[in-house]
Amino acid sequence: MLLYHTVRKPERRDTCQSTTSAPPSIGFTTIAALGVLGHEEPPNRIVVARTGYYHTCGIKTNGTALCWGYDNYGQVSGTSCCLFISTSQPPGDGAFSQISAGQYHTCGIKTDGSALCWGYDYYGQVDGTPTSTNNYSATGPPPGGGTFIQISAGGVQTCGIRTDLTVLCWGDDTYGELDGTAGTSTHTGSPPGGGTFTQISAGLGHTCGLKTDGTVLCWGDDYNGQVDGSPNTTFPYETTGSPPGGGTFTQISAGYGDTCGIKSNGSLLCWGYDAYGQLDGSPNVSTASGAPSGLGTVTRVTAGGRHTCALKTNGSVLCWGDNTYSQLGTIVSGTDTGTPPGGGSYAQLGLSSGQSHTCRMNPNGSIYCTGDDTQGQLDGTPSTTTHSATLSGSYVQVSAGQYHTCALTNTRTVKCWGDGATGMSTPVSGIFTQIASGGGHSCGLRPDGSDVCWGDEPLVALGPFVQISAGTNHTCGIRVDSMIVCWGDNSSGQAPEYTYGSFVQISAGGSHTCGLAFDSTLSCWGSDQYTQAVPPIVGTFSQISSGAATNCALRTDGTAVCWGKNASGQAVAPTGTFTALAAGGDHTCGVSTAGSVICWGASTGFSSTLAASQTHLSVKISNGWTTMQWRGPKHAIGYNVLKRGQLLNSHLIRGHHRHYRFRIHRVVRHPTLSLVAQLRK
């Protein structure tokens, strides 16, 4: 099933120089996503805040509004100008009683009951009349004017409740999110069947309302079952219905691909897309509805993009779902329920594969690495006999490079160990939110979205970024506008300066790069020597991992598919379902849904289906000499010959548990193999 298939992101048009700024230094007395008011505050402090796609707006105690963040369509200031600005008051004068931040537009209700919207208006979500000029930006009241008691800005539609409790919606109606009847020429509408409402919530492509009798009605895009719990996969996916099981509710929240509501007894019910556990805390693409076990009763709920948060009756807050950017309030990336995972499961922790080693995060914050340690990439001490190591301490992320490893501590500083020939194991000081280790360099993402690299790729690229990935000799990042920017070696087309589109994840490999788009499809570019730049076109995906010349992707049903170089079996994914994948040089690892680590290809020390006779640890060339290391008794060992960073082919050689040094004699044609490197002792 598709996630966010209704995302209709416009082409970015940045019309002037962008600047970056931290959120305004003004105190908050509310849970931003929930709108729970705190105690009385001095004047001019923000007491209500609402978060949009890449911007946030709040109302101060004196009634004035303040917005900050991404403003390329005027969703912050009402004037299309810059990628980022520090802070701005909305257009016009007057105090606001309510504000709602949508995907790329914002709406508010003033104290006199009139409504005003500003920002992206391509579908008429600002004023009911689509705008094709002025960078698709507009400012204006809802169609027909009038007074309102509540307003909700969604993805590309807006809905408001008038003072007579009737609902008016305006904007895009491709999936029937305005009136329950799909159409591209309609830009205003009312809920199917009419009626009166006490609350309205506009999602990405669907809308839900709480009627005066306590029942809930939803309409619009139902591809993931976000309308009634029963997916409609026939275009245009329009459905009108009620939550599964019916009943009466006290609050409703429409997210991007899911919906949540609080029942009259205080219990919570969520329905729709659950691939990130946003329904019940347990990722499952087949789950239609649910709630976290043991949640208890709640008073407020908010459904976000891939996560959900609720305010419990005891005053505590619990969040569940995707935690890639610590949106659950914890420091562990992945999918979680707001508390660090425990026990022996690694499904929600970090896993990263290098050329011939793999590292994982342990639940207690330590790191376990296994595989080749000839450069000290396991624990900082080079060894030809050590093949596993545990690094004690408190870490939150680990990233395995080609022959070195870096980790992010719980204080957000970086430590690196292993091969340091070009300085990639000597990180710069400072605070980071994410790290990425490549071939001869490493990079880190600062809290402000800027990136810093060290090693043989010290370039600082144009951000800010939300995610970065380091390949062998190139680096790529996803900017806050979902565009990909790459730098470094581009000899195979793996690092174009800009890749336009809407991406949620990037993975830089050896001489190629792959990206996961908002619509859950894959794109790859760069070297295609082993068809690694041709991803599967069938199915939808939730994660991509690019190795030296192999890619592995996680389908939305949890199964894995790999393609590209397969000399050691690293492109033959085992059956079963996974929650995370990590492709390395000649091996691939995955975290099964049961929480265990499974690897395939050349042995790494984790469980593997390959025999010991296929173990390959390292092959390196220096000044024409090839140094090989393997372990085990005298037997045939398969290995890859590397020359100038390129994998040439496989060759068989016999030997004992020790090092040998050979000189490359020549590269010749072979009747069955494309290339064979002949070695001379």
Side-chain angles (χ1 to χ4, degrees):
M1 295 175 66
L2 282 172
L3 175 65
Y4 310 154
H5 73 98
T6 57
V7 171
R8 295 175 288 274
K9 283 199 157 188
E11 179 183 355
R12 279 25 176 210
R13 290 175 171 85
D14 306 325
T15 57
C16 71
Q17 184 178 5
S18 62
T19 59
T20 59
S21 173
S25 56
I26 300 175
F28 292 83
T29 61
T30 180
I31 299 171
L34 302 179
V36 182
L37 295 180
H39 58 278
E40 186 68 24
E41 290 293 321
N44 299 332
R45 294 181 72 87
I46 292 179
V47 293
V48 176
R50 292 294 182 268
T51 55
Y53 203 72
Y54 286 125
H55 73 291
T56 304
C57 293
I59 299 177
K60 299 180 182 180
T61 52
N62 63 0
T64 59
L66 191 68
C67 297
W68 58 94
Y70 196 38
D71 193 36
N72 67 326
Y73 293 103
Q75 59 265 49
V76 168
S77 63
T79 302
S80 176
C81 172
C82 299
L83 195 66
F84 270 84
I85 65 173
S86 56
T87 60
S88 176
Q89 290 186 344
D93 299 322
F96 287 82
S97 62
Q98 190 211 334
I99 200 161
S100 178
Q103 188 176 21
Y104 290 109
H105 72 292
T106 307
C107 294
I109 297 178
K110 294 189 175 183
T111 52
D112 62 2
S114 63
L116 183 69
C117 297
W118 56 95
Y120 187 64
D121 193 41
Y122 184 81
Y123 298 96
Q125 60 265 50
V126 168
D127 55 8
T129 302
T131 300
S132 58
T133 59
N134 192 33
N135 198 26
Y136 307 126
S137 301
T139 297
T147 55
F148 293 80
I149 63 171
Q150 194 232 325
I151 198 164
S152 179
V156 286
Q157 89 275 23
T158 306
C159 293
I161 300 179
R162 297 187 181 100
T163 51
D164 62 359
L165 302 185
T166 60
V167 169
L168 176 68
C169 296
W170 57 98
D172 183 48
D173 200 32
T174 302
Y175 304 98
E177 56 262 59
L178 301 186
D179 54 10
T181 302
T184 57
S185 60
T186 301
H187 296 287
T188 60
S190 297
T196 54
F197 294 78
T198 60
Q199 192 223 331
I200 194 74
S201 182
L204 185 63
H206 73 293
T207 307
C208 292
L210 181 65
K211 289 191 168 185
T212 50
D213 63 2
T215 60
V216 168
L217 182 70
C218 297
W219 57 95
D221 178 17
D222 193 37
Y223 189 91
N224 294 301
Q226 60 264 51
V227 168
D228 59 2
S230 299
N232 177 4
T233 57
T234 302
F235 184 83
Y237 321 119
E238 59 180 327
T239 299
T240 298
S242 300
T248 57
F249 292 75
T250 61
Q251 194 231 325
I252 192 78
S253 179
Y256 278 16
D258 64 313
T259 308
C260 291
I262 301 175
K263 292 188 173 183
S264 299
N265 62 3
S267 62
L268 181 69
L269 178 68
C270 297
W271 58 97
Y273 197 77
D274 194 36
Y276 296 89
Q278 57 265 58
L279 299 188
D280 56 7
S282 299
N284 190 336
V285 294
S286 63
T287 300
S289 62
S293 176
L295 175 64
T297 55
V298 299
T299 60
R300 296 288 292 178
V301 65
T302 179
R306 294 175 173 177
H307 72 292
T308 306
C309 292
L311 178 68
K312 302 176 71 172
T313 51
N314 62 6
S316 62
V317 174
L318 182 68
C319 298
W320 57 95
D322 182 32
N323 196 35
T324 303
Y325 305 107
S326 298
Q327 57 264 54
L328 306 186
T330 63
I331 60 175
V332 182
S333 296
T335 304
D336 208 347
T337 55
T339 56
S345 174
Y346 301 94
Q348 299 162 350
L349 299 173
L351 181 71
S352 183
S353 294
Q355 174 66 28
S356 300
H357 75 292
T358 297
C359 294
R360 76 176 186 214
M361 291 292 307
N362 288 325
N364 63 1
S366 62
I367 295 173
Y368 177 72
C369 297
T370 185
D372 178 25
D373 194 35
T374 55
Q375 299 294 320
Q377 57 264 57
L378 300 187
D379 58 2
T381 303
S383 173
T384 59
T385 58
T386 298
H387 301 294
S388 65
T390 299
L391 286 83
S392 59
S394 296
Y395 299 90
V396 297
Q397 190 214 337
V398 63
S399 181
Q402 190 170 21
Y403 296 108
H404 73 289
T405 307
C406 291
L408 189 64
T409 70
N410 64 344
T411 60
R412 296 303 193 271
T413 58
V414 177
K415 291 183 178 180
C416 298
W417 57 93
D419 183 15
T422 59
M424 59 277 205
S425 294
T426 307
V428 298
S429 59
I431 302 300
F432 294 87
T433 60
Q434 188 224 326
I435 52 171
S437 298
H441 70 291
S442 294
C443 295
L445 195 63
R446 298 283 196 186
D448 62 0
S450 62
D451 77 291
V452 179
C453 298
W454 53 94
D456 59 7
E457 289 289 341
L459 174 67
V460 179
L462 176 63
F465 297 95
V466 296
Q467 189 234 327
I468 56 174
S469 179
T472 301
N473 293 305
H474 73 291
T475 307
C476 294
I478 299 179
R479 297 198 318 186
V480 294
D481 58 1
S482 302
M483 182 190 300
I484 292 175
V485 176
C486 297
W487 61 97
D489 180 23
N490 192 37
S491 57
S492 298
Q494 68 268 47
E497 185 175 1
Y498 294 104
T499 300
Y500 294 91
S502 299
F503 292 89
V504 296
Q505 193 221 329
I506 187 72
S507 186
S511 297
H512 71 289
T513 306
C514 292
L516 177 66
F518 266 102
D519 62 1
S520 302
T521 59
L522 296 173
S523 298
C524 297
W525 53 92
S527 173
D528 197 37
Q529 181 180 2
Y530 301 97
T531 68
Q532 66 265 44
V534 183
I537 60 174
V538 178
T540 54
F541 302 86
S542 60
Q543 191 224 334
I544 178 67
S545 181
S546 298
T550 306
N551 302 306
C552 286
L554 192 65
R555 297 186 188 272
T556 49
D557 63 2
T559 59
V561 59
C562 302
W563 67 98
K565 186 176 176 65
N566 193 39
S568 300
Q570 66 266 45
V572 181
T575 58
T577 55
F578 297 83
T579 61
L581 299 173
D586 47 16
H587 70 288
T588 306
C589 293
V591 180
S592 71
T593 50
S596 59
V597 176
I598 300 174
C599 297
W600 53 98
S603 176
T604 63
F606 286 107
S607 59
S608 174
T609 58
L610 295 181
S613 62
Q614 293 174 294
T615 298
H616 158 65
L617 293 180
S618 67
V619 178
K620 300 183 70 175
I621 290 179
S622 176
N623 298 324
W625 288 90
T626 300
T627 301
M628 296 164 292
Q629 184 217 341
W630 60 90
R631 54 178 174 165
K634 184 176 181 179
H635 54 256
I637 300 293
Y639 68 91
N640 295 311
V641 177
L642 285 78
K643 185 177 183 180
R644 296 185 180 92
Q646 300 297 315
L647 298 172
L648 297 182
N649 220 301
S650 298
H651 191 64
L652 294 178
I653 193 165
R654 292 181 176 274
H656 294 279
H657 185 136
R658 58 173 297 178
H659 278 77
Y660 283 89
R661 288 171 62 86
F662 293 80
R663 184 185 299 275
I664 292 181
H665 176 55
R666 61 177 175 169
V667 177
V668 298
R669 296 288 176 180
H670 190 275
T672 58
L673 300 175
S674 59
L675 288 174
V676 172
Q678 290 187 339
L679 307 182
R680 176 175 296 173
K681 187 174 180 180

